[in-house]
């Protein structure tokens, strides 16, 4: 229950930031299109700094074991999601945008600040395992699905700034290299901007979305429920029945981190990719907005269930 209360408090903080971004556009101080500049700063500067900073901890066998455990669980979750969305495409004719919404969570923008607030900065390392796995799936499966072309964009995977940051962080971690304080301090300070900037961008995008006009669109509620309720419930039952958390000493806490990363709103990156591949960007943006709004209710409840069944 205590974790849920901390999570709820953090989500309320996020929504205040979202509201501020909304007000900036609503009062014509900024334009919604200006959010692109902040998005570029987040993707190319803030998030890489947050990732590198998270690896600046002492190397131990326990941490290595936890990192591998988190990565393996993340891969299994994404494979399960692939099966899940393929069932949706076959029997209920989900579109590529809907499949991407269900499969890809906003773990990049939300999970690092959430884990840091709930469990402490030492545990942020393990959230990067989920992020790195999702990045690989994003630039392989997701880009192929949205472009509807049978090819993989390996160049984009390797050259992605966040993948490079993960590689750099891993090298620092495994080689037991500590960055000088004069370098690490600005990296950490910039990394701490991740949540505020990401939430402000979300608010700016919301201000330009036809939210009121879309309230009668049942699909937005349906896929929000699938992303935030149905899938988290299925995943929690699988975790509970499999007892996978018993494999390592800190398994329950590490499983919570992976679970948190899996139940966040749909990835904001999807909307950007949808624009690139000329799909329905408005629909994708609304799905992102709706899941972001509803997560303030669903995520604390999901964590309460997780606490009862696993913690």
């Amino acid at each position: 229950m205590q974790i849920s209360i901390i999570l709820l408090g953090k989500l309320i903080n996020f929504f205040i930031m979202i509201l501020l971004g909304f007000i900036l556009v609503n009062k014509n101080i900024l334009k919604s299109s200006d959010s692109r500049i902040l998005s570029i700063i987040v993707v190319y500067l803030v998030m890489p700094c947050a990732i590198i900073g998270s690896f600046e901890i002492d190397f131990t066998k326990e941490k290595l074991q936890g990192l591998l455990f988190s990565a393996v669980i993340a891969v299994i979750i994404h494979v399960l999601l692939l099966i899940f969305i393929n069932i949706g495409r076959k029997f209920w004719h989900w579109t590529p945008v809907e499949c991407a919404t269900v499969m890809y969570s906003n773990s990049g923008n939300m999970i690092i600040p959430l884990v840091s607030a709930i469990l402490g900065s030492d545990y942020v390392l393990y959230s990067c395992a989920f992020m790195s796995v999702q990045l690989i799936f994003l630039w392989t499966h997701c880009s192929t699905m949205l472009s509807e072309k049978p090819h993989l964009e390996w160049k984009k995977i390797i050259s992605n700034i966040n993948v490079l940051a993960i590689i750099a962080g891993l090298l620092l971690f495994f080689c037991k290299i500590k960055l000088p304080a004069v370098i690490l301090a600005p990296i950490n300070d910039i990394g701490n901007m991740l949540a505020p900037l990401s939430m402000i961008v979300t608010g700016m995008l919301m201000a330009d979305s036809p939210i009121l006009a879309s309230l009668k669109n049942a699909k937005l509620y349906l896929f929000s429920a699938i992303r935030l309720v149905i899938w988290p419930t299925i995943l929690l039952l699988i975790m509970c029945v499999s007892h996978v958390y018993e494999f390592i000493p800190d398994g329950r806490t590490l499983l919570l981190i992976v679970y948190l990363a899996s139940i966040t709103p749909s990835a904001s990156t999807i909307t950007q990719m949808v624009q690139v591949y000329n799909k329905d960007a408005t629909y994708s943006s609304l799905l992102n907005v709706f899941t972001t709004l509803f997560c303030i209710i669903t995520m604390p409840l999901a964590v309460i269930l997780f606490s009862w069944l696993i913690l």
Side-chain angles (χ1 to χ4, degrees), residues 39-76:
S39 294
I40 291 172
I41 293 173
V42 169
V43 171
Y44 290 97
L45 178 61
V46 179
M47 192 176 292
C49 285
I51 291 170
I52 291 174
S54 70
F55 282 97
E56 279 293 296
I57 59 176
D58 294 329
F59 177 90
T60 64
K61 289 183 179 179
E62 290 75 18
K63 286 186 174 65
L64 176 60
Q65 187 181 38
L67 193 63
L68 293 174
F69 174 82
S70 301
V72 170
I73 297 298
V75 171
I76 294 172

Side-chain angles (χ1 to χ4, degrees), residues 284-299:
S284 177
S285 177
L286 285 169
L287 284 168
N288 180 251
V289 168
F290 268 59
T291 54
T292 300
L293 289 172
F294 290 139
C295 82
I296 196 170
I297 299 172
T298 60
M299 287 186 69

Side-chain angles (χ1 to χ4, degrees), residues 26-143:
N26 191 254
K27 296 299 181 181
N28 297 317
I29 299 172
L30 292 174
K31 296 179 182 178
S32 182
S33 58
D34 293 334
S35 64
R36 176 175 171 77
I37 297 173
L38 291 180
S39 294
I40 291 172
I41 293 173
V42 169
V43 171
Y44 290 97
L45 178 61
V46 179
M47 192 176 292
C49 285
I51 291 170
I52 291 174
S54 70
F55 282 97
E56 279 293 296
I57 59 176
D58 294 329
F59 177 90
T60 64
K61 289 183 179 179
E62 290 75 18
K63 286 186 174 65
L64 176 60
Q65 187 181 38
L67 193 63
L68 293 174
F69 174 82
S70 301
V72 170
I73 297 298
V75 171
I76 294 172
I77 286 174
H78 281 84
V79 171
L80 291 174
L81 276 165
L82 276 176
I83 298 171
F84 186 56
I85 65 170
N86 282 329
I87 292 172
R89 293 187 76 172
K90 182 176 181 180
F91 293 100
W92 298 291
H93 308 291
W94 293 356
T95 66
V97 171
E98 291 163 350
C99 289
T101 295
V102 172
M103 179 160 179
Y104 296 101
S105 63
N106 203 12
S107 61
N109 293 340
M110 292 188 74
I111 193 61
I112 289 179
L114 278 178
V115 169
S116 181
I118 295 170
L119 299 171
S121 57
D122 285 350
Y123 282 93
V124 171
L125 169 72
Y126 307 114
S127 64
C128 292
F130 189 96
M131 286 172 52
S132 59
V133 169
Q134 179 161 280
L135 279 170
I136 293 170
F137 275 87
L138 270 171
W139 292 109
T140 53
H141 164 261
C142 188
S143 62

